[in-house]
Amino acid sequence: MSLLKATSNSSSSSSSSSSRILRAPSQSPTRRYPLKPPLLNTVVHFLFSIATTILLYLVSLGPIPQHVGFVMDGNRRYARGLGKEVSEGHGEGFAALKRTLEICLRLRIRAVSVYAFAIDNFSRSENEVSALMRLAKDRLAELCQHGELLEEYGVKIKFIGQISLFPPDVQQAVREMEEMTKHHKNGVLNVCAPYSSRDEITTSLQDTVQTVLRDSDSIRVNDIKSEDILRRLGTSKAVSEVDRALFSRPDESGKLDILVRTSNVKRLSDFMMWQASQDTQLHFVNTFWPEFGLSDMIPILLGWQQKQWIKHLGWS
């Protein structure tokens, strides 16, 4: 039985997992809420967990996307709006990543790709870059630990991009995280950092040209197709390490079914441009990434499912 569990099988752990999914960050430093009595708090969390489990189960009955991408935007604006340090915004952004990843894994979405750090981000202040490096090293490592999400669901972590640009200690942490999860075959979390889509495409083209030069008998220049470039993209290579039998459309697993960008910015910002094909559903949501959660994700998934049913019925 696959380690990627159906949502209806998690009754014993649904309370803790649902509370992580539903937990909402504070909206304003000036707003005050009365403290709930411990018993009431327990009852509320229990009801939330039941509602979450039922909701995810109902969504799981329909078609499920096999590859979803996220541009995790808005951490800095979120922090500044609340009068917090930028590093705190990034910290809450990592919490949102874990929350969103759990939603995807419970729904058996096999590939999740996140834009964690652009190559251009190295131009930011030294303090912010250093804080991001520490957070990435510590928080992502937590996901790989024994008993955590990636082990629980049998998902590997892969870093896509120019890893050599990271400081040596972060490069070492990246190697250790990938090593810890390399035998997992039920899904993949692609952490795109330091990344740009143009760099990924360039690397894929170089790889394709080298293949032609090395083995001209098996492939010629005129035989190169767009699928050859797609197959050699870093994200596609990572997805190809997942058990093919788990995908409904294994030959298209490298393509994005859904691409979500938070904070109401309507551009791709050099993220997975080749993989965002004509069938990719783009969503630009108003929510800042640290606030992103189940209430944002469910309408996106329902919209995608509606599109699939319409296509299946031949109405499009």
Side-chain angles (χ1 to χ4, degrees), residues 35 69 90 140 145 152 215 229 236 250 255 268 283 307:
L35 293 175
H90 290 310
L140 291 173
Q145 297 300 318
E152 180 183 355
D215 191 5
I229 309 301
S236 297
K255 296 180 180 179
L268 296 183
H283 284 274
K307 180 181 176 182

Side-chain angles (χ1 to χ4, degrees), residues 146-297:
H146 176 71
E148 279 291 340
L149 279 178
L150 298 187
E151 183 186 62
E152 180 183 355
Y153 289 93
V155 173
K156 66 174 68 222
I157 190 170
K158 298 291 287 187
F159 287 80
I160 312 299
Q162 295 293 336
I163 310 302
S164 61
L165 298 179
F166 277 142
D169 62 322
V170 178
Q171 292 184 42
Q172 178 62 28
V174 165
R175 289 191 290 269
E176 291 173 356
M177 284 184 267
E178 291 187 338
E179 179 68 21
M180 289 171 65
T181 63
K182 68 178 183 180
H183 297 299
H184 297 172
K185 298 293 185 182
N186 291 333
V188 62
L189 169 62
N190 288 325
V191 179
C192 298
Y195 175 91
S196 79
S197 184
R198 286 171 295 176
D199 179 72
E200 183 185 30
I201 293 169
T202 300
T203 302
S204 175
L205 288 169
Q206 291 170 343
D207 186 18
T208 304
V209 170
Q210 289 174 357
T211 301
V212 172
L213 294 176
R214 186 175 56 249
D215 191 5
S216 58
D217 292 334
S218 63
I219 184 172
R220 294 174 296 177
V221 173
N222 293 338
D223 295 331
I224 297 175
K225 299 179 176 60
S226 62
E227 290 79 9
D228 297 311
I229 309 301
L230 175 66
R231 189 172 60 252
R232 289 177 170 85
L233 295 172
T235 50
S236 297
K237 288 181 178 179
V239 174
S240 70
E241 296 181 20
V242 178
D243 185 355
R244 281 178 57 88
L246 299 177
F247 290 107
S248 58
R249 295 167 284 112
D251 292 335
E252 299 181 4
S253 58
K255 296 180 180 179
L256 285 173
D257 292 313
I258 299 174
L259 176 59
V260 179
R261 178 164 188 157
T262 54
S263 80
N264 201 31
V265 176
K266 297 178 175 64
R267 60 177 184 267
L268 296 183
S269 293
D270 209 359
F271 179 62
M272 299 188 75
M273 295 186 295
W274 195 289
Q275 299 90 322
S277 66
Q278 62 181 10
D279 292 326
T280 301
Q281 186 166 294
L282 303 179
H283 284 274
F284 302 101
V285 298
N286 291 326
T287 309
F288 290 136
W289 176 250
E291 300 173 303
F292 189 84
L294 186 66
S295 61
D296 301 287
M297 193 66 182

Side-chain angles (χ1 to χ4, degrees), residues 7 50-60 107 294 298 302:
T7 56
I50 295 298
T52 302
T53 299
I54 293 174
L55 185 57
L56 291 179
Y57 173 71
L58 292 174
V59 173
S60 73
L107 289 172
L294 186 66
I298 291 299
L302 291 177

